[in-house]
Amino acid sequence: MKVIETFYSRALDAFREFGGTDEELMWLVGSRLALFPSHGEEIRLRLRVMEEIVKRAKGKILDVGSGSGLLALALSEKGTVIGVEKRADFFPFLRELENERLKFMQGDFLRDDVGGDFDVVVFSYILHDLKPEPFLRRAVEVLSPGGRIIVGDFDLNGLKERLKESAKLHRLAVEEELVLGRASSHGKVCEAFLLVFGRVEK
């Protein structure tokens, strides 16, 4: 996937720009590679979830909880993207990823003004430890009339069914449900899934 090459290249440039040494790079990369035998399948499924989200997104896109920005960067090939991220420590790097189709804002999706009239709102790997209802409610508020919500995650803590129940409260219907495989995530073997919600016509 070409976007991963771009992402890696920019991350390496930022590492060097902020004074990273070869020894620090070896430690940083080595500490992550050491986990791969235990987390390889989870990593593969997370990348697959990202690919499936990107396939379904277009137009004006809001990426909630952008983290290090890889998904938002991939989505910017399909439309214009606003990435919302709470953690300030991601922003020195996220600013390096920005371009004419991709902007990041530091803020709280549930409380801050993120704009509106989005064609797609994306939640990737952020809702499994949270109550989904307020996030879906807020997503409906910022969606365009024909917009969709895409959730990609692992089915931890009964997330998939909680999402479906919460969706009913906001006149959202499941347009697509996809199970992508099973892997251990957060110490539990569970399904990686994709859900696409659309508004129910009145």
Side-chain angles (χ1 to χ4, degrees), residues 92-109:
F93 176 60
L94 291 178
R95 296 294 178 225
E96 299 288 321
L97 292 182
E98 290 185 326
N99 58 51
E100 65 278 0
R101 294 166 67 96
L102 173 60
K103 301 297 177 192
F104 292 99
M105 64 169 286
Q106 185 184 353
D108 184 325
F109 171 69

Side-chain angles (χ1 to χ4, degrees), residues 106-117:
Q106 185 184 353
D108 184 325
F109 171 69
L110 295 181
R111 293 195 305 238
D112 295 329
D113 182 4
V114 297
D117 291 321

Side-chain angles (χ1 to χ4, degrees), residues 128 132 154-164 193:
H128 49 263
F154 283 82
D155 193 14
L156 293 157
N157 306 312
L159 175 61
K160 191 161 55 167
E161 290 308 313
R162 289 189 296 127
L163 282 164
K164 290 178 184 178
F193 71 90

Side-chain angles (χ1 to χ4, degrees), residues 34-45 183-187:
L35 295 173
F36 187 77
S38 298
H39 296 277
E41 191 57 30
E42 178 186 6
I43 291 166
R44 291 182 189 101
L45 284 173
S184 178
S185 182
H186 290 61

Side-chain angles (χ1 to χ4, degrees), residues 16-198:
R16 297 292 188 203
E17 180 184 334
F18 285 91
T21 67
D22 287 345
E23 186 175 58
E24 289 166 337
L25 179 63
M26 286 187 285
W27 176 85
L28 184 64
V29 174
S31 66
R32 304 311 298 170
L33 293 178
L35 295 173
F36 187 77
S38 298
H39 296 277
E41 191 57 30
E42 178 186 6
I43 291 166
R44 291 182 189 101
L45 284 173
R46 286 182 70 166
L47 288 172
R48 175 85 190 283
V49 166
M50 184 179 80
E51 290 172 2
E52 295 298 333
I53 290 171
V54 172
K55 284 179 188 176
R56 291 160 176 77
K58 62 181 180 179
K60 185 180 178 185
I61 303 165
L62 181 68
D63 178 39
V64 181
S66 292
S68 61
L70 175 58
L71 175 58
L73 181 63
L75 288 167
S76 70
E77 297 182 351
K78 302 293 291 294
T80 58
V81 181
I82 300 292
V84 182
E85 175 54 49
K86 274 177 142 178
R87 286 180 52 178
D89 53 343
F90 279 118
F91 275 81
F93 176 60
L94 291 178
R95 296 294 178 225
E96 299 288 321
L97 292 182
E98 290 185 326
N99 58 51
E100 65 278 0
R101 294 166 67 96
L102 173 60
K103 301 297 177 192
F104 292 99
M105 64 169 286
Q106 185 184 353
D108 184 325
F109 171 69
L110 295 181
R111 293 195 305 238
D112 295 329
D113 182 4
V114 297
D117 291 321
F118 290 98
D119 298 302
V120 180
V121 176
V122 173
F123 300 100
S124 177
Y125 205 69
I126 68 164
L127 294 180
H128 49 263
D129 289 329
L130 302 169
K131 293 180 179 178
E133 191 278 328
F135 289 88
L136 291 184
R137 179 175 67 242
R138 180 74 171 124
V140 168
E141 291 172 359
V142 301
L143 274 180
S144 64
R148 298 190 301 164
I149 300 167
I150 304 177
V151 181
D153 213 318
F154 283 82
D155 193 14
L156 293 157
N157 306 312
L159 175 61
K160 191 161 55 167
E161 290 308 313
R162 289 189 296 127
L163 282 164
K164 290 178 184 178
E165 287 301 312
S166 296
K168 294 174 187 175
L169 300 174
H170 302 290
R171 299 185 60 83
L172 294 168
V174 176
E175 293 184 352
E176 186 177 5
E177 180 176 346
L178 189 63
V179 174
L180 300 168
R182 293 175 64 82
S184 178
S185 182
H186 290 61
K188 300 176 184 176
V189 176
C190 52
E191 292 179 341
F193 71 90
L194 189 82
L195 280 173
V196 180
F197 296 102

